[in-house]
Amino acid sequence: MTNDAALSILSGTAEGPVLALAEGLSFWGGVDPATARVIDTHHPAHGADIAGKVLLMPTSRGSCSGSGVILDMALSGRAPAALIFSEAEDVLTLGTLIAAEMFQRPLPVLRVSPAVMARLAAASFLRIGPDAITGDGISIPVTIPAPEALDLTDADRAMLDGHDGNATALAMRIICAMARQQGAHALIDITRGHVDGCIYASPANLTFAEEMLALGARVRVPTTMNAISVDRQNWQAQGVPPVFGNPAARLADAYVRMGCQPSFTCAPYLLEDAPEQGEALAWAESNAVIYANSVLGARSPKHPDFLEFCMAVTGRAPLSGVYLDAGRKAAAILDVDLPQGADESIWPLIGYLAGRLCPDRIPLLRGLSGAQRNPDDLKALCAAFGTTSAAPMLHIDGVTPEADGAALPDAPSQQITRADLAKGWDLLNHGPSGVDLIAIGSPHASAPECRALADLLSGRTIRIPVIVTAGRQVISALRDDGTLARLEQAGVQVIPDLCWCSISEPVFPPAARVVMTNSGKYAHYGPGLSGRDMRFGSLADCVTAAMTASASPRPAWLE
């Protein structure tokens, strides 16, 4: 692609008004597919209608589930007219590829240079044709890339040719199409998968899964499943309306029937069989991908929903991105001015700010090696980073396994100052001080986190609901060691299968208007997903709020 041309990623023609975003947007948690409006309260385009627009932005960010949202919008006729990016992008591209490949709903996707993006952003109306983007006196040629040579094995070609069935052939076509747009020249074997598309984010998730099931899809590597949208065994008793509960349960069941393990957790790294360093995975769920790469040293790009399932069906993935040593280097250095006396809420706060400073690149964080930490702190940091960055990993000097020598020679340096930390705290604490609900478990709470909560609540009486979401395996361990009984005696509700990013009324208490959480991820996504105001703090802060129905002010260590 020349600097003055647009590269056609997915072909098609379209026209519409221009909506240019200077900042990337997560479609899941950031766009309501039913209305096509931006619901991310932290995004400058909050409230904008994207249906029928020629949508320009650098790249997407945030959740892997955005592919399901764009697919649903394409199937319902509420999608943007076209997508134009100035950087590499996989999540929305994959959703539009599925729309075209499986459902004959094409939507143009193009990539341009930042200079061309600036010219297009100045237009009010654009037309995308087979040869050019035109409008308001602009004419940008469109080039169709020559097919990249993809070195396929005999087994790959056999799958493409239908030797292993129609579903496997379809999955391999999708993988090869994504490999070419990523610039990969070969595929790699993967050892395990983690399916994120089992969340009922939209009817399109169910449409895809049941279509693959009807085609005879079956995973060929061990594949875990993300949190789903209902408590699979108890949703009827909880009063969930059948109009939502039935399709959400059908979606989960479809993946189980295709051989996936009903783990139903958004923190698969907490399972007993965690990935090992260097292991090639096909994982979706942004927090899990970032933790696996950063903390465990395993390897998985941030695969979009549906693509990870195609990889689990074939056992193959494009050899690109963080599967390669070169793709794991840090392109930015962030020096953190760590306040003395900071509690564990500093970790999600740092992750959130690191993602804002590095929305499209892997950072190396310095200044944290002497800080007290545990795996839950790193879990919280990775999850918060994933809300504001499209990068699949980060490095922490002196902490994570690949940090030594991770920075590229020309990586620029920036600081996260104490003033930045205070501003970040205020961004995540924009609700009133009166609190109605405590939300723990985004990502799913670990056993140590639940034990710490039980210790903090011991002998105390809560005034407002406290709900913990956790994986089935963790809940079983809590039952065995008595922690679950301690939590329930204190009035805490512990719910399996769901996580806070998939919970809905009436399991989410309808009367609650202000929610307090120790999760930077949920503090960011919560307002758009739940329509509630959010407060953020440490686990101890959450317990204090549970006793007093009031959030604590900004902590002294941030002043």
Side-chain angles (χ1 to χ4, degrees):
M1 180 183 69
T2 61
N3 287 335
D4 59 353
L7 182 68
S8 175
I9 304 299
L10 295 174
S11 61
T13 60
E15 63 179 29
V18 173
L19 178 60
L21 308 182
E23 183 179 311
L25 176 66
S26 173
F27 267 46
W28 185 88
V31 176
D32 179 0
T35 64
R37 292 196 174 274
V38 177
I39 58 173
D40 182 348
T41 58
H42 299 280
H43 198 280
H46 177 242
D49 183 355
I50 66 174
K53 304 292 173 51
V54 177
L55 183 62
L56 282 60
M57 60 180 174
T59 186
S60 66
R61 72 178 189 196
S63 175
C64 304
S65 297
S67 49
V69 176
I70 190 71
L71 174 60
D72 186 71
M73 296 172 76
L75 298 182
S76 66
R78 289 186 286 266
L83 298 169
I84 302 179
F85 303 109
S86 59
E87 299 165 12
E89 199 286 330
D90 281 349
V91 173
L92 302 181
T93 300
L94 188 278
T96 58
L97 174 62
I98 297 287
E101 180 75 24
M102 294 182 68
F103 304 105
Q104 294 71 55
R105 298 290 184 92
L107 183 119
V109 179
L110 303 101
R111 191 182 304 156
V112 300
S113 68
V116 170
M117 180 70 89
R119 292 176 61 193
L120 296 176
S124 59
F125 193 95
L126 290 173
R127 294 178 179 85
I128 290 90
D131 303 313
I133 305 174
T134 59
D136 291 356
I138 295 171
S139 182
I140 305 296
V142 171
T143 62
I144 299 175
E148 292 280 349
L150 195 55
D151 186 12
L152 299 177
T153 66
D154 290 343
D156 293 335
R157 293 190 184 91
M159 284 189 275
L160 270 176
D161 292 340
H163 178 77
D164 294 339
N166 292 334
T168 303
L170 173 62
M172 183 57 81
R173 289 200 302 274
I174 291 168
I175 290 169
C176 289
M178 289 300 289
R180 291 187 176 98
Q181 84 96 13
Q182 291 171 357
H185 297 288
L187 305 182
I188 185 176
D189 286 332
I190 53 101
T191 58
R192 67 178 91 191
H194 180 73
V195 170
D196 186 46
C198 52
I199 293 176
Y200 189 60
S202 70
N205 292 67
L206 179 60
T207 301
F208 171 84
E210 292 193 333
E211 180 72 15
M212 292 297 284
L213 178 62
L215 289 172
R218 184 86 184 172
V219 299
R220 63 178 66 199
V221 296
T223 303
T224 50
M225 291 174 64
N226 207 42
I228 57 176
S229 298
V230 290
D231 177 342
R232 184 64 190 87
Q233 297 174 340
N234 301 301
W235 66 266
Q236 295 98 332
Q238 292 165 343
V240 175
V243 69
F244 179 81
N246 280 324
R250 278 170 51 198
L251 176 60
D253 293 347
Y255 280 108
V256 173
R257 290 171 66 187
M258 290 186 284
C260 298
Q261 302 167 19
S263 51
F264 300 156
T265 179
C266 53
Y269 43 84
L270 295 179
L271 297 172
E272 291 178 357
D273 183 23
E276 297 180 357
Q277 186 166 353
E279 189 174 348
L281 319 174
W283 277 16
E285 166 56 46
S286 60
N287 97 82
V289 169
I290 295 167
Y291 189 94
N293 282 309
S294 306
V295 180
L296 302 181
R299 300 194 170 201
S300 177
K302 191 190 284 187
H303 292 306
D305 286 10
F306 313 136
L307 183 60
E308 91 283 23
F309 181 70
C310 292
M311 294 173 181
V313 167
T314 62
R316 301 284 276 167
L319 181 55
S320 62
V322 292
Y323 287 130
L324 300 166
D325 290 346
R328 302 175 71 82
K329 293 295 185 181
I333 298 171
L334 302 179
D335 289 302
V336 182
D337 184 9
L338 190 68
Q340 289 186 352
D343 60 35
E344 84 273 5
S345 64
I346 190 69
W347 295 97
L349 188 56
I350 290 170
Y352 186 72
L353 294 173
R356 289 173 65 90
L357 291 172
C358 297
D360 56 359
R361 64 194 63 189
I362 296 170
L364 169 66
L365 278 59
R366 300 192 302 201
L368 302 176
S369 60
Q372 185 176 0
R373 64 188 178 276
N374 58 42
D376 282 321
D377 297 327
L378 299 179
K379 171 169 76 89
L381 184 149
C382 290
F385 178 76
T387 66
T388 48
S389 179
M393 68 180 298
L394 51 81
H395 301 281
I396 307 175
D397 186 42
V399 176
T400 56
E402 299 173 62
D404 188 23
L408 293 168
D410 58 350
S413 297
Q414 289 180 271
Q415 278 197 319
I416 296 178
T417 66
R418 298 190 187 193
D420 295 329
L421 292 166
K423 291 177 183 177
W425 181 276
D426 292 341
L427 283 173
L428 297 176
N429 280 274
H430 54 81
S433 59
V435 177
D436 307 303
L437 172 67
I438 306 299
I440 307 296
S442 180
H444 271 169
S446 69
E449 188 176 8
C450 291
R451 292 175 189 127
L453 176 62
D455 290 341
L456 288 167
L457 286 169
S458 181
R460 306 171 79 177
T461 303
I462 60 175
R463 289 180 53 188
I464 58 176
V466 177
I467 299 177
V468 175
T469 61
R472 292 181 174 189
Q473 193 174 98
V474 165
I475 293 175
S476 178
L478 298 177
R479 184 178 293 110
D480 290 345
D481 71 8
T483 302
L484 183 62
R486 293 172 62 206
L487 289 171
E488 290 174 342
Q489 186 176 12
V492 176
Q493 186 179 7
V494 182
I495 301 177
D497 303 350
L498 292 158
C499 79
W500 281 101
C501 290
S502 65
I503 199 169
S504 59
E505 296 182 7
V507 180
F508 186 112
R513 308 315 307 166
V514 181
V515 183
M516 178 134 190
T517 182
N518 65 336
S519 165
K521 175 180 180 177
Y522 192 55
H524 174 85
Y525 283 134
L529 291 172
S530 70
R532 270 71 166 190
D533 288 318
M534 302 296 299
R535 300 288 300 197
F536 164 76
S538 68
L539 190 64
D541 291 335
C542 289
V543 169
T544 298
M547 304 296 127
T548 64
S550 181
S552 303
R554 183 196 292 172
W557 51 265
L558 274 177
E559 298 299 337

